[in-house]
């Protein structure tokens, strides 16, 4: 055994099939994706998010109307929130594609700005729900917007089982 193996105290064995760079540090090979491959991945994620938002909207409307006895205000608020969630997902898709054209520092700044714009849109929709409280329900609007978050949370499952949008 040479000194390097004696000093290795993590308990893991080296995999000699992996490549090591200078000073025997592991060099991870990250695949370099073409622009078309990047766009295809982001587009598939968008399709998965849309599918998740749709499933979440159906569940939200069914549960909400069952609990509230068919409230029109709740339904209108939830639909406004779901439409907002779809628009926010589309805007995120657009932002990510633009950010891939920038350098790392420029992309980080651009994504911060686009995140701020998405927050302003969400606050505006919730503010409109408060202002027009007699027309559509605040609770439904907030839950409708949260279908985007729910879709993102369950993305791994949705991505695995989404029957729509798979390129063959």
């Amino acid at each position: 055994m040479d000194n390097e193996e004696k000093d290795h105290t993590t308990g893991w064995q080296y995999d000699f099939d992996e490549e090591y760079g200078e000073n025997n540090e592991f060099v991870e090979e990250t695949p370099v994706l073409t622009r078309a491959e990047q766009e295809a991945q982001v587009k598939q994620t968008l399709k998965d998010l849309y599918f998740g938002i749709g499933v979440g909207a159906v569940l939200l409307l069914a549960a909400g109307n069952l609990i509230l006895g068919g409230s029109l205000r709740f339904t209108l608020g939830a639909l406004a929130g779901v439409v907002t969630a779809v628009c926010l997902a589309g805007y995120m898709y657009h932002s990510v594609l633009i950010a891939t054209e920038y350098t790392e520092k420029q992309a980080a700044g651009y994504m911060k700005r686009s995140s701020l714009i998405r927050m302003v849109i969400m606050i505006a929709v919730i503010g409109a729900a408060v202002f027009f409280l007699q027309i559509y329900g605040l609770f439904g609007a907030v839950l409708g917007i949260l279908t985007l978050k729910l879709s993102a949370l369950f993305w791994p499952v949705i991505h695995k089982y989404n029957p729509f949008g798979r390129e063959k």
Side-chain angles (χ1 to χ4, degrees):
M1 257 190 191
D2 56 86
N3 289 339
E4 185 177 309
E5 289 179 1
K6 289 178 185 175
D7 294 336
H8 184 67
T9 59
T10 62
W12 294 96
Q13 296 293 323
Y14 285 118
D15 182 4
F16 294 103
D17 294 332
E18 297 173 337
E19 294 186 23
Y20 289 86
E22 294 178 16
N23 300 326
N24 289 330
E25 295 176 4
F26 177 67
V27 177
E28 184 177 343
E29 293 183 24
T30 55
V32 178
L33 300 177
T34 65
R35 175 75 177 165
E37 290 170 334
Q38 288 176 347
E39 287 181 15
Q41 282 185 350
V42 174
K43 193 173 205 175
Q44 182 59 48
T45 301
L46 178 67
K47 289 176 186 178
D48 293 339
L49 285 177
Y50 282 161
F51 181 73
I53 291 169
V55 169
V58 169
L59 294 174
L60 171 66
L61 289 171
N65 283 316
L66 184 68
I67 292 170
L68 298 174
S71 171
L72 180 63
R73 285 181 44 219
F74 174 81
T75 302
L76 291 176
L79 289 175
V82 167
V83 167
T84 303
V86 167
C87 292
L88 292 174
Y91 183 67
M92 251 189 297
Y93 166 75
H94 179 70
S95 298
V96 168
L97 287 182
I98 290 175
T100 59
E101 295 290 323
Y102 294 141
T103 64
E104 186 176 344
K105 187 175 180 180
Q106 290 173 329
Y110 179 78
M111 290 307 290
K112 286 178 186 175
R113 285 190 303 276
S114 67
S115 177
L116 181 65
I117 290 170
R118 288 193 309 272
M119 287 288 229
V120 168
I121 291 170
M122 285 188 282
I123 291 169
V125 169
I126 292 170
V130 169
F131 188 73
F132 297 110
L133 203 52
Q134 290 78 22
I135 299 173
Y136 67 102
L138 173 63
F139 187 62
V142 170
L143 290 177
I145 291 171
L146 288 177
T147 58
L148 175 60
K149 303 297 182 189
L150 186 69
S151 179
L153 179 68
F154 288 109
W155 178 83
V157 176
I158 293 168
H159 181 69
K160 187 175 182 180
Y161 296 109
N162 182 2
F164 303 107
R166 294 277 178 239
E167 300 192 12
K168 298 177 171 106

